Amino acid sequence: NAKIIFILRNPIERSFSHYLNGIGLGYETNSFIDSMNLALNQKNDYSGRIAMASFYSSGIEKYFKYFKKNKLKFFIFEEFFKNTENGIQEILNFLEISENVPKMVNTIHNEFTLPRGKFSSKLITNEKLRSFVKHYLPRNQAKNLRMLMTSKTKKPKISKEEKQFAQKLFFDDIKKTEKLLNRKLSWIN
């Protein structure tokens, strides 16, 4: 009787966002295209997910195999966030929850930041330090520490070359996803 909700983001944008997260955390230093090529040849760990998590069709097929379609709800990220309140209301309806949409739905989270320098980058990428902070510092203190070591900056945009590379990479999977969802997706030109 489980109900499962999917929010599928443009796979090109999802991969680029994942890449930028790696840049912001200080562990990604390659170009986007080099990172994608490396990820395609990695095991499915965090480094591999920059690309592999954006191939949706095989995952969707597995859910269709084991769950009734009326137990699955698919949203397209870009459409969902054009009108978040309606999206949340659709989720509440799907889950048969009669509640009002929360007021905080338009709060921005995860703004793009970069380490302030090499020392900050080394601290941010240190797994033992990250684990210590996660387990022993209150959330607000961990957030303040991160704010000290990073600075907000304008989020980089994907270049034309990078976008074309990713469009070629994801084209077939996007077409398969369209067939599975029985709808046109605006993710490729």
Side-chain angles (χ1 to χ4, degrees):
N1 291 324
K3 290 186 175 185
I4 302 170
I5 298 167
F6 301 81
I7 299 182
L8 304 177
R9 186 175 184 183
N10 177 328
I12 298 160
E13 295 295 327
R14 198 223 63 81
S15 292
F16 191 68
S17 179
H18 192 127
Y19 166 75
L20 291 179
N21 187 52
I23 296 267
L25 292 173
Y27 67 80
E28 183 62 73
T29 57
N30 293 312
S31 72
F32 175 63
I33 292 173
D34 288 345
S35 294
M36 291 290 284
N37 282 322
L38 285 169
L40 292 168
N41 297 307
Q42 296 291 321
K43 60 183 184 253
N44 197 16
D45 62 2
Y46 191 77
S47 62
R49 280 186 256 148
I50 185 176
M52 300 316 292
S54 295
F55 289 98
Y56 301 136
S57 65
S58 64
I60 293 170
E61 285 173 333
K62 288 176 187 170
Y63 280 95
F64 282 173
K65 182 177 177 182
Y66 295 106
F67 294 92
K68 293 179 181 176
K69 287 187 180 180
N70 69 343
K71 298 291 185 180
L72 307 173
K73 181 74 171 167
F74 291 88
F75 291 94
I76 304 304
F77 177 89
E78 297 79 9
E79 296 168 2
F80 185 89
F81 285 101
K82 279 184 182 172
N83 194 333
T84 311
E85 288 185 24
N86 282 353
I88 300 272
Q89 189 61 60
E90 276 190 63
I91 289 172
L92 293 172
N93 294 342
F94 175 67
L95 297 175
E96 299 175 16
I97 297 172
S98 58
E99 292 289 328
N100 293 326
V101 175
K103 297 291 180 213
M104 56 52 135
V105 295
N106 293 317
T107 304
I108 295 173
H109 298 277
N110 297 330
E111 292 182 274
F112 186 70
T113 61
L114 288 173
R116 289 189 186 268
K118 287 184 180 184
F119 181 71
S120 291
S121 182
K122 286 197 180 292
L123 289 175
I124 290 169
T125 58
N126 183 300
E127 289 299 322
K128 289 180 181 177
L129 181 60
R130 287 173 64 111
S131 179
F132 175 82
V133 168
K134 182 178 180 180
H135 293 336
Y136 298 107
L137 282 184
R139 189 175 245 184
N140 65 333
Q141 287 181 350
K143 185 178 178 181
N144 289 339
L145 182 61
R146 181 160 173 79
M147 287 172 58
L148 282 173
M149 293 191 298
T150 61
S151 59
K152 289 180 187 176
T153 185
K154 188 175 180 180
K155 183 178 174 180
K157 301 235 185 255
I158 190 167
S159 73
K160 186 176 180 178
E161 176 191 7
E162 293 166 333
K163 189 171 188 174
Q164 287 172 341
F165 167 84
Q167 284 180 330
K168 286 179 187 172
L169 180 65
F170 293 118
F171 183 84
D172 290 339
D173 193 70
I174 291 170
K175 290 299 180 187
K176 279 180 159 177
T177 302
E178 286 179 333
K179 284 183 182 177
L180 289 167
L181 299 181
N182 195 29
R183 65 171 297 182
K184 180 82 173 127
L185 299 168
S186 62
W187 295 337
I188 46 179
N189 300 335

